[in-house]
DNA sequence: AGCACGCCGACT
DNA sequence: GTCGGCGTGCTC
């Protein structure tokens, strides 16, 4: 029988050894060693036994077999949080196509040199006199390292080890003899930095309404019976989902298990955090992108040591090293931010499902506008579905939503960005001293072309996505590569008013100022929120009535409650409808629903005006009538027709290279290979086409799309393409290949 | 992280 | 010459 080798990472948090080492697996351990196993291995010259994690098993070693040592044994002190996370990393690698290193960095994001603050310190054991003698001695003998150290110790008898090594350039071999001599000693103290420094205020437990109670009861029943399941809570805005979450969390931590709460970064506001902190006190911790690497490390360390029970944070909080995880909760489950932008391009919902299954935890998803993926699974019975259809506050009413046809406005001679109805309502609200939110659902670049008189956006005849304007001269489809020259007049109504669409918040602010000079206007976009706490500052200013009108993008419709907002205007709903992406309809529905939920959260009746060039589009119609079911049916019909997810699996393969001609050749070759192996499996293949932004930083990118209902077939094909790239190094030498499943 | 190798200044 | 501090590089 051939030898087997284990690829192992050593449990030393130091950059220099942050890679894998191969070890031979002894015969008697062959059954027991799998990915994720913690093992003891001899390491380095002295063969000191160290702990390591098995991250892979191979038949052929990537190192001189004669020099490979044997695994010493298995660490048996239970299954640690890390070893399970490493198993999860393995799954990530297999599922999403990345290297083990990339997967490990995702799962163990704290393997950095930024160790906790003052973890180790050097303390002088000599008194001042002895110290200055030692200094003189060292100077005489020109022991440079000692001079530096003694000199510093004379100033301060305690020096952080970190500083000594990095700033004072002392190596371990310079320090060690001094410890043996008894001049100094090393001590360690652990100081955690706690990012929440707030005075706790009791969060009072509200009485649940019947809808909320049903969810809590069913969950508790399942939990007590030991049943772990996935639950989808479809609750309209303001229906009190957070209250339900609190009860579920309570149940799980009473059982001495731990909870991860995922919240999109943008909604991770002071308000939200305070609610959790008020209820669960210092057993809660948060992570967010503002935390330094050191602070994040501390938070994960606290979780590992069992100092906290609840971790709240964005996507990355999913990898909190809890050892007794009982519940993962994903709020605003439909949010795009849960999909990773970097390799491995995992989706938090899917990874949460895997982790929950591995650790025997429950998974709860919540949203006012569930993703098609989640809702489809719920309808199929894979998730338990619950609905909250009433607002939690009794006297609050749903807002009145109306759709305004901008084509008609133009026909009637109104060229401003405000429809007559919106103008009228704005004047009225300003008079009554009530507040207004103007929402422009722009995201990134929106360079599609549309007609100002008929509202028609120019679309690809084969793909039903808008064409994108390239170099102001040609329109290109990013899904199939179809291209036409930029027309001079509208193809459907021949109007010459056809142009690139794109309006900024700044421009809107100017126009609003001009039309309502008496109003105080606050603007919230990337420019005005740059600084730390920029978000909070503007939102609280608005809450304090320091402004009458708040203008902004998606940011303003998430999270915050403004009881005095009674009018929400969506200036151009088409902006998100016409992005070149099959999800544009879904995103539009979500944004409009959220925007509508902002108005009339209190007793005062609210109005929502949706301005659009496509008043008949189902995303807009169903958002206006607040009818999720109707939206779901129509959007699913579209996805089935076009074979887009979740009706079908979609594998996106990206090729990127600095060399355009090599890229073209390689992408074509891979495309031909994929066609050949995909044909018998009934895989539909599109491309290779240029990526929506073809060149970034002088790197060209091409895309290949593969569609097939069966996800596993796509994974199989991915593996074969991976093999193809390994067998053709001449093609892939200069080309990077990345996979994305959706 | 921790060990060995080897450079270079100091001292018998 | 030899001794020993201390910077550097490697560990499967």
């Amino acid at each position: 029988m051939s030898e087997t080798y284990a690829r192992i990472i050593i449990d030393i948090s130091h950059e220099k050894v942050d890679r894998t080492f191969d070890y031979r697996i002894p015969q008697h351990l062959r059954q027991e060693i799998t990915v994720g196993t913690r093992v003891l291995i001899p390491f380095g010259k002295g063969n000191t036994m160290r702990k390591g994690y098995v991250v892979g098993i191979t038949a052929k070693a990537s190192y001189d077999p004669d020099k490979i040592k044997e695994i010493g044994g298995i660490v048996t002190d239970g299954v640690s949080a890390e070893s399970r996370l490493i198993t999860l990393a393995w799954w990530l690698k297999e599922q999403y196509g990345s290297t083990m290193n990339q997967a490990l960095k995702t799962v163990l994001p704290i393997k950095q040199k930024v160790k906790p603050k003052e973890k180790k310190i050097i303390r002088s054991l000599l008194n001042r006199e002895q110290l200055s003698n030692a200094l003189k001695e060292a100077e005489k003998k020109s022991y440079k390292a000692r001079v530096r150290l003694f000199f510093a110790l004379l100033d301060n008898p305690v020096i952080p080890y970190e500083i000594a090594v990095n700033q004072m350039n002392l190596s371990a071999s310079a320090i060690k003899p001094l410890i043996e001599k008894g001049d100094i000693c090393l001590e360690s103290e652990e100081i955690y930095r706690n990012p929440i420094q707030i005075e706790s205020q009791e969060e009072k437990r509200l009485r649940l309404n019947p809808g909320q109670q049903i969810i809590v009861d069913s969950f508790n029943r399942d939990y007590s019976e030991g049943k772990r399941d996935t639950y989808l809570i479809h609750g309209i805005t303001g229906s009190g989902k957070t209250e339900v979450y609190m009860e579920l969390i309570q149940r799980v931590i009473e059982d001495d298990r731990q909870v991860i709460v995922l919240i999109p970064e943008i909604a991770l506001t002071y308000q939200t955090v305070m609610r959790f902190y008020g209820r669960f006190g210092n057993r809660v911790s948060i992570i967010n992108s503002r935390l330094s690497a050191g602070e994040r490390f501390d938070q994960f360390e606290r979780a590992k040591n069992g100092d906290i029970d609840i971790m709240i944070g964005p996507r990355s909080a999913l990898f909190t090293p809890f050892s007794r995880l009982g519940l993962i909760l994903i709020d605003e489950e439909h949010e795009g931010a849960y999909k990773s932008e970097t390799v491995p391009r995992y989706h938090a919902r899917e990874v949460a499902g895997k982790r929950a299954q591995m650790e025997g935890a429950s998974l709860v998803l919540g949203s006012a506008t569930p993703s098609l993926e989640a809702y489809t699974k719920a309808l199929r019975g894979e998730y338990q579905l619950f609905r909250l259809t009433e607002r939690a506050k009794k006297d609050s009413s749903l807002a009145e939503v109306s759709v305004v046809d901008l084509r008609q406005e133009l026909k009637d001679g109104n060229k401003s960005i405000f429809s007559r109805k919106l103008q009228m309502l704005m004047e009225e609200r300003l008079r009554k001293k009530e507040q207004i939110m103007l929402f422009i659902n722009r995201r990134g670049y929106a360079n599609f072309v549309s007609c100002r008189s008929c509202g028609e956006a120019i679309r690809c005849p084969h793909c039903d996505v808008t064409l994108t304007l390239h170099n102001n001269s040609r329109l290109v489809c990013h899904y199939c590569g179809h291209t036409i020259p930029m027309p001079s007049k509208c193809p459907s109504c021949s109007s010459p008013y056809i142009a690139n669409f794109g309006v900024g918040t700044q421009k809107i602010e100017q126009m609003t100022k001009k039309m309502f000079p008496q109003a105080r206007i606050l603007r919230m976009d990337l420019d005005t929120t740059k600084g730390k706490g920029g978000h909070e500052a503007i939102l609280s200013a608005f809450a304090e009535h320091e402004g009458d009108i708040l203008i902004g993008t998606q940011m303003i419709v998430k999270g915050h409650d403004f009881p005095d907002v009674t009018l929400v205007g969506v200036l151009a709903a088409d902006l998100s409808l016409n992005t070149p992406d099959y999800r544009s309809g879904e995103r539009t529905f979500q944004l409009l629903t959220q925007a509508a939920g902002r108005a009339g959260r209190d007793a005062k009746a609210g109005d929502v005006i949706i301005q659009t060039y496509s008043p008949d589009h189902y995303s807009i119609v169903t958002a206006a009538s607040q009818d999720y079911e109707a939206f779901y049916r129509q959007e699913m019909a579209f996805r089935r027709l076009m074979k887009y997810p979740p009706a079908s699996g979609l594998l996106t393969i990206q090729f990127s290279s600095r060399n355009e001609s090599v890229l073209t050749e390689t992408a074509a070759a891979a495309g031909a290979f994929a066609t050949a192996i995909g044909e018998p499996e009934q895989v539909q293949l599109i491309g290779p086409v240029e990526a929506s932004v073809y060149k970034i930083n002088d790197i060209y990118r091409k895309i290949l799309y593969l569609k097939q209902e069966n996800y596993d077939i796509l994974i199989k094909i991915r593996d074969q393409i991976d093999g193809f790239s390994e067998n053709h190094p001449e093609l892939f030498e200069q080309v990077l290949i990345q996979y994305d499943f959706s």
Side-chain angles (χ1 to χ4, degrees):
Chain A
M1 192 185 148
S2 67
E3 301 262 30
T4 48
Y5 301 94
R7 326 204 72 200
I8 290 169
I9 55 166
I10 315 294
D11 186 27
I12 302 172
S13 24
H14 202 277
E15 272 178 320
K16 294 268 173 65
V17 285
D18 188 17
R19 59 195 180 87
T20 60
F21 294 88
D22 290 357
Y23 280 83
R24 211 181 306 279
I25 304 177
Q27 195 66 47
H28 65 282
L29 291 177
R30 236 165 244 195
Q31 304 306 316
E32 292 165 75
I33 288 178
T34 53
V35 170
T37 312
R38 280 210 294 173
V39 290
L40 283 171
I41 35 149
F43 188 67
K45 294 274 154 56
N47 281 337
T48 41
M49 282 308 215
R50 305 206 148 268
K51 271 190 270 179
Y53 301 102
V54 177
V55 299
I57 297 193
T58 64
K60 63 168 193 267
S62 58
Y63 193 72
D64 182 359
D66 295 339
K67 292 187 188 163
I68 291 182
K69 297 178 192 171
E70 204 163 68
I71 291 175
I74 293 179
V75 181
T76 46
D77 56 347
V79 188
S80 74
E82 275 100 341
S83 77
R84 271 187 303 222
L85 282 172
I86 284 162
T87 317
L88 189 64
W90 179 263
W91 181 85
L92 276 174
K93 157 196 158 9
E94 292 284 299
Q95 192 74 11
Y96 297 100
S98 71
T99 65
M100 191 63 196
N101 265 351
Q102 287 168 323
L104 282 170
K105 284 205 174 106
T106 311
V107 165
L108 308 169
I110 19 79
K111 275 243 170 223
Q112 291 177 42
K113 63 174 171 194
V114 199
K115 294 286 284 176
K117 202 184 191 177
E118 298 187 83
K119 190 170 176 157
K120 273 209 224 158
I121 55 166
I122 294 171
R123 181 185 295 280
S124 167
L125 294 175
L126 305 173
N127 61 35
R128 280 194 74 83
E129 202 180 326
Q130 289 170 313
L131 204 53
S132 56
N133 283 341
L135 178 61
K136 277 198 204 102
E137 173 97 15
E139 264 171 344
K140 211 168 79 190
K141 297 191 174 176
S142 77
Y143 295 169
K144 281 174 250 150
R146 284 181 198 191
V147 171
R148 266 174 285 158
L149 181 61
F150 286 139
F151 192 73
L153 284 172
L154 212 46
D155 228 23
N156 188 346
V158 175
I159 298 171
Y161 188 80
E162 181 81 15
I163 306 259
V165 170
N166 292 338
Q167 259 93 288
M168 291 164 57
N169 205 23
L170 288 163
S171 66
S173 55
I175 294 170
K176 214 180 134 198
L178 291 173
I179 297 172
E180 279 160 8
K181 220 171 129 219
D183 287 355
I184 56 168
C185 69
L186 281 184
E187 288 173 13
S188 58
E189 56 184 75
E190 309 229 352
I191 304 165
Y192 293 131
R193 281 149 295 192
N194 189 345
I196 312 175
Q197 328 106 328
I198 6 179
E199 63 307 337
S200 155
Q201 70 221 32
E202 273 298 288
E203 163 96 5
K204 49 188 179 299
R205 288 172 75 157
L206 301 171
R207 222 224 186 81
L208 299 182
N209 67 30
Q212 293 170 318
Q213 195 64 51
I214 286 171
I215 303 175
V216 173
D217 289 348
S218 328
F219 178 88
N220 285 350
R221 198 183 320 118
D222 285 355
Y223 195 87
S224 302
E225 288 171 6
K227 184 176 169 198
R228 301 292 180 265
D229 209 346
T230 303
Y231 307 81
L232 173 63
I233 303 176
H234 174 204
I236 61 166
T237 28
S239 60
K241 287 190 290 294
T242 312
E243 262 315 303
V244 174
Y245 299 159
M246 297 282 184
E247 292 300 317
L248 306 186
I249 293 170
Q250 181 88 44
R251 173 69 186 83
V252 173
I253 61 174
E254 274 168 10
D255 190 39
D256 195 30
R257 303 258 275 174
Q258 297 141 336
V259 182
I260 293 172
V261 182
L262 297 191
I263 292 181
E265 177 101 46
I266 196 170
L268 196 56
T269 59
Y270 185 77
Q271 275 188 353
T272 328
V273 173
M274 275 315 294
R275 285 190 73 178
F276 284 93
Y277 200 70
R279 173 86 176 252
F280 300 106
N282 60 10
R283 304 298 293 175
V284 182
S285 186
I286 56 164
I287 52 171
N288 60 42
S289 60
R290 286 267 147 77
L291 292 185
S292 68
E295 286 172 316
R296 197 177 304 219
F297 181 90
D298 286 355
Q299 295 321 304
F300 275 23
E301 199 73 356
R302 292 175 75 198
K304 203 159 72 180
N305 295 344
D307 295 345
I308 55 170
D309 298 319
I310 304 166
M311 178 64 91
I312 304 174
R315 204 171 58 219
S316 57
L318 194 49
F319 305 109
T320 308
F322 281 133
S323 54
R324 296 184 312 280
L325 188 63
L327 171 66
I328 304 175
L329 224 153
I330 306 185
D331 191 30
E332 308 288 342
E333 158 277 322
H334 61 275
E335 269 295 320
Y338 286 127
K339 175 78 189 269
S340 171
E341 298 284 314
T342 52
V343 181
R345 295 170 178 270
Y346 67 93
H347 197 292
R349 194 196 308 118
E350 296 164 5
V351 181
K354 183 67 188 172
R355 185 161 185 206
Q357 179 216 324
M358 279 170 46
E359 316 224 1
S362 298
L363 173 61
V364 172
L365 311 173
S367 175
T369 51
S371 64
L372 291 217
E373 281 81 358
Y375 204 71
T376 303
K377 286 197 170 162
L379 291 183
R380 275 198 217 132
E382 289 176 42
Y383 299 169
Q384 289 191 44
L385 177 63
F386 293 99
R387 291 191 179 84
L388 288 173
T389 49
E390 281 170 43
R391 290 207 157 182
K393 271 192 200 161
K394 274 185 223 72
D395 55 353
S396 74
S397 47
L398 282 174
E400 180 91 13
V401 184
S402 17
V403 177
V404 173
D405 184 349
L406 286 176
R407 294 172 302 186
Q408 189 61 41
E409 292 291 317
L410 188 72
K411 222 176 268 174
D412 294 348
N414 177 11
K415 291 207 182 81
S416 96
I417 56 165
F418 302 108
S419 63
R420 288 159 296 177
K421 179 156 186 182
L422 181 57
Q423 255 177 64
M424 191 192 80
L425 288 172
M426 283 174 75
E427 276 159 19
E428 187 215 21
R429 297 300 141 96
L430 287 173
R431 236 186 354 261
K432 279 162 66 182
K433 301 272 178 236
E434 292 175 1
Q435 289 183 300
I436 302 165
M437 281 167 93
L438 292 181
F439 172 56
I440 172 136
N441 45 348
R442 202 172 99 100
R443 190 202 200 104
Y445 52 94
N447 50 343
F448 64 97
V449 169
S450 74
C451 171
R452 288 273 274 151
S453 63
C454 74
E456 203 68 40
I458 301 180
R459 295 173 159 268
C460 173
H462 310 296
C463 302
D464 206 23
V465 291
T466 48
L467 296 178
T468 305
L469 187 60
H470 277 214
N471 304 327
N472 250 332
S473 61
R474 289 191 77 78
L475 294 168
V476 181
C477 171
H478 287 151
Y479 278 71
C480 73
H482 176 80
T483 172
I484 54 166
M486 168 74 184
S488 54
K489 53 185 199 251
C490 173
S492 56
C493 76
S494 301
S495 155
Y497 294 105
I498 159 172
N500 209 2
F501 216 113
V503 200
T505 43
Q506 227 163 339
K507 204 163 157 199
I508 302 224
E509 185 186 17
Q510 286 165 15
M511 288 161 148
T512 313
K513 236 175 215 153
K514 210 164 141 199
M515 188 157 287
F516 305 100
Q518 78 282 20
R520 294 164 305 159
I521 300 171
L522 290 170
R523 174 167 63 93
M524 182 153 156
D525 56 23
L526 277 182
D527 293 338
T528 58
T529 56
K530 254 183 213 140
K532 197 173 173 179
H535 262 84
E536 297 290 337
I538 295 175
L539 291 174
S540 53
F542 191 58
E544 300 289 319
H545 279 256
E546 285 167 34
D548 306 307
I549 303 176
L550 176 63
I551 299 172
T553 56
Q554 350 294 26
M555 308 172 191
I556 65 170
V557 299
K558 305 214 173 176
H560 253 76
D561 281 359
F562 300 105
D564 292 321
V565 170
T566 56
L567 175 61
V568 173
V570 181
L571 293 176
D574 308 67
L575 284 182
S576 60
L577 199 54
N578 288 322
T579 51
D581 173 359
Y582 69 88
R583 283 201 163 89
S584 61
E586 184 179 6
R587 196 160 45 236
T588 302
F589 179 81
Q590 289 163 354
L591 287 172
L592 294 179
T593 308
Q594 248 164 12
R598 293 298 106 188
R601 295 206 85 165
D602 233 321
K604 290 173 201 154
D607 277 292
V608 178
I609 304 293
I610 299 173
Q611 303 192 144
T612 174
Y613 290 104
S614 334
D616 303 322
H617 191 283
Y618 62 85
S619 289
I620 290 173
V621 175
T622 54
S625 59
Q626 318 243 332
D627 188 348
Y628 178 82
E629 296 285 330
F631 166 75
Y632 176 81
R633 279 195 303 273
Q634 302 205 43
E635 182 69 18
M636 260 324 266
F638 162 68
R639 303 276 175 102
R640 267 194 292 270
L641 186 69
M642 302 304 296
K643 289 198 193 302
Y644 285 134
S648 172
L650 177 68
L651 167 62
T652 309
I653 307 177
Q654 179 177 282
F655 304 88
S656 52
S657 174
R658 284 182 184 278
N659 185 329
E660 192 176 7
S661 56
V662 168
L663 174 68
T664 307
E665 191 194 341
T666 302
F673 176 77
T675 310
I677 58 167
E679 201 113 301
E681 305 273 15
Q682 295 181 345
V683 173
Q684 194 187 335
L685 189 130
I686 299 165
V689 297
E690 295 183 359
S692 53
V693 187
Y694 182 40
K695 186 168 105 167
I696 297 179
N697 290 332
D698 291 322
I699 293 171
Y700 296 89
R701 304 174 311 153
K702 290 208 170 200
I703 312 272
L704 202 56
Y705 295 100
L706 277 71
K707 293 182 195 172
Q708 155 61 256
E709 276 173 50
N710 187 340
Y711 212 87
D712 295 334
I713 291 181
L714 288 180
I715 290 190
K716 208 172 86 192
I717 300 235
R718 195 265 328 270
D719 289 342
Q720 290 190 47
I721 293 177
D722 236 14
F724 176 76
S725 72
E726 273 167 32
N727 293 334
H728 296 269
E730 75 285 359
L731 280 172
F732 286 87
E733 203 174 23
Q734 296 179 58
V735 179
L736 181 71
I737 184 163
Q738 284 180 23
Y739 306 97
D740 183 12
F741 285 96
S742 46

